[in-house]
Amino acid sequence: MHHKQLLQQSPVRLVRPSRLAFFDLDETLLSGKSMIDFLRGAPESLWTPGKKGAPGPGRTRGQAGIEKLADLSGRGADRAEINRAYFQLYAGVALSSLQAAGQAWYADFTSRPEPYVSAGLAAWTEHRRAGHTVVLVSGSAHPFVDPAAEALRADLTLCTELEVDDHGLLTGRVTRTMIGRDKARAVTELRECHGLAVEDCFAYGDHASDLSMLQAVGTAVVVGEDPVLLRHARHKGWSVLPGTAGPGPDPRDADPIADTEGGHRLDERGHFGGTASRGAPRA
C-alpha cells in the first residue's frame, strides 16, 4: 500500500500562551508576495529535465507558472483555487530541494534594501517584548514560511500543508489550505486549544482575504490600504498601520528583532504609539 506523509506544522518553540498575536506574512511582515517572488526566480534545477509540462524554449518553468496563475486570476478563479494551482506546479519536486531553495530565496529576499513592512515588523517586535505568543498565519507553505519563522523567532506557524509521497516528492496536492476562512478556523482552533478568550488574541492582515481572521480575534489591526479592510476598520474602530516597506532588523543584534525601530511601542496602558490609530492592542 502506498502511504503518504504530510508536511506538518513546525513550531519554532512551544510555550503556554497568555496572549496570542497572529500575523499574516506577505505584505503584512514581508514587503512582497513570497510564493510569487520565489517562483519568479526559481532555479530550473528544482524540476526534473524533460518533465511533462516543461515550458518552451526561452521560458523558465517559473515564468510559465506565473503566466498560468495570471490566466486563472483573469478568468475569475478565487484565491483558494489559485493557491492550489500554485502548488501543483511543484508536483514531482523533492521536498528537500524546495526547502533548500526556499532558504536561499529568503536569504536573497531579505538582503534587498526594503524587505519588510516596517510597521508590521515593529508590531511583531512589540508583541514579543510583551511576552505574547506570536504566530505566522499564511497561505504560503513551510518551504517559504519556515525561513521567516526562524529569522523572526515565531512561536508557531499555521500555513498551507503540502502532501509528500514515500520518496520525499511533492504530489502537487495540499492537505490543508490557509486562505480566507481557513485562517479564521485555524486561529479559533488554536485559541480554543489553549483555553483563551477572543479578547486575549490579536491579528494583523493586509488583504480582504484576511478579514475572517481579523474578525475572529478581540483586537484586529489592518496593515496597508486594502479598501475592504479599511471600510471595516472605520466601522469597527480597528487600528490601521501603514504598509510602507523598510529595512530589516540589524543582523548584528544578539536578538535579531529586539531593537527594531518602528515608532509603534506598547505604552504603559498597553497601547501602540506612533502612527497606529485607535483600537490598538493591549498587552
Side-chain angles (χ1 to χ4, degrees):
M1 179 177 180
H2 184 70
H3 298 286
K4 295 184 176 68
Q5 65 183 45
L6 305 181
L7 180 57
Q8 299 295 335
Q9 297 172 11
S10 57
V12 175
R13 65 182 175 91
L14 291 171
V15 295
R16 181 181 294 277
S18 61
R19 298 286 191 277
L20 289 167
F22 299 95
F23 284 76
D24 171 61
L25 180 61
D26 295 346
E27 300 185 309
T28 297
L29 289 171
L30 295 185
S31 61
K33 296 182 181 297
S34 58
M35 299 192 314
I36 297 300
D37 196 90
F38 172 84
L39 188 58
R40 187 173 290 118
E44 287 295 290
S45 57
L46 267 180
W47 291 274
T48 303
K51 175 180 175 291
K52 182 180 179 180
R59 292 167 70 241
T60 66
R61 292 179 192 268
Q63 290 169 337
I66 289 173
E67 291 168 9
K68 177 181 178 181
L69 298 173
D71 180 65
L72 278 174
S73 178
R75 290 191 279 113
D78 62 25
R79 284 173 71 91
E81 182 180 353
I82 294 172
N83 186 265
R84 290 182 182 276
Y86 177 89
F87 291 111
Q88 288 172 4
L89 299 173
Y90 300 104
V93 171
L95 171 60
S96 60
S97 297
L98 189 60
Q99 289 171 325
Q103 290 282 353
W105 162 79
Y106 188 78
D108 173 74
F109 183 86
T110 54
S111 71
R112 302 172 194 175
E114 297 182 330
Y116 294 98
V117 175
S118 296
L121 184 61
W124 174 277
T125 303
E126 291 306 319
H127 279 288
R128 287 196 60 224
R129 283 196 177 115
H132 300 170
T133 295
V134 289
V135 186
L136 288 177
V137 188
S138 177
S140 193
H142 286 287
F144 315 126
V145 176
D146 286 353
E150 181 178 1
L152 299 177
R153 299 190 179 185
D155 296 308
L156 292 165
T157 61
L158 299 171
C159 63
T160 297
E161 303 286 344
L162 307 182
E163 186 179 67
V164 186
D165 70 16
D166 291 344
H167 304 290
L169 303 179
L170 296 165
T171 67
R173 292 186 289 271
V174 303
T175 61
R176 186 184 191 186
T177 58
M178 199 58 62
I179 301 290
R181 295 189 181 278
D182 297 322
K183 287 187 175 183
R185 282 190 286 268
V187 163
T188 300
E189 287 171 6
L190 187 60
R191 176 183 65 77
E192 291 178 346
C193 176
H194 290 290
L196 298 180
V198 293
E199 291 78 17
D200 297 322
C201 298
F202 312 82
Y204 293 74
D206 70 284
H207 188 269
S209 61
D210 296 319
L211 179 59
S212 294
M213 177 178 72
L214 297 177
Q215 292 174 324
V217 300
T219 303
V221 182
V222 174
V223 179
E225 300 179 352
D226 182 274
V228 173
L229 294 188
L230 289 179
R231 185 167 65 250
H232 281 269
R234 287 191 295 269
H235 178 68
K236 297 179 180 294
W238 292 347
S239 296
V240 178
L241 298 178
T244 308
D250 189 338
R252 296 170 297 178
D253 294 337
D255 179 344
I257 65 170
D259 297 315
T260 301
E261 295 296 332
H264 304 282
R265 301 296 300 274
L266 284 167
D267 62 21
E268 66 278 2
R269 296 170 298 170
H271 291 171
F272 276 102
T275 58
S277 65
R278 66 194 181 99
R282 307 175 303 278

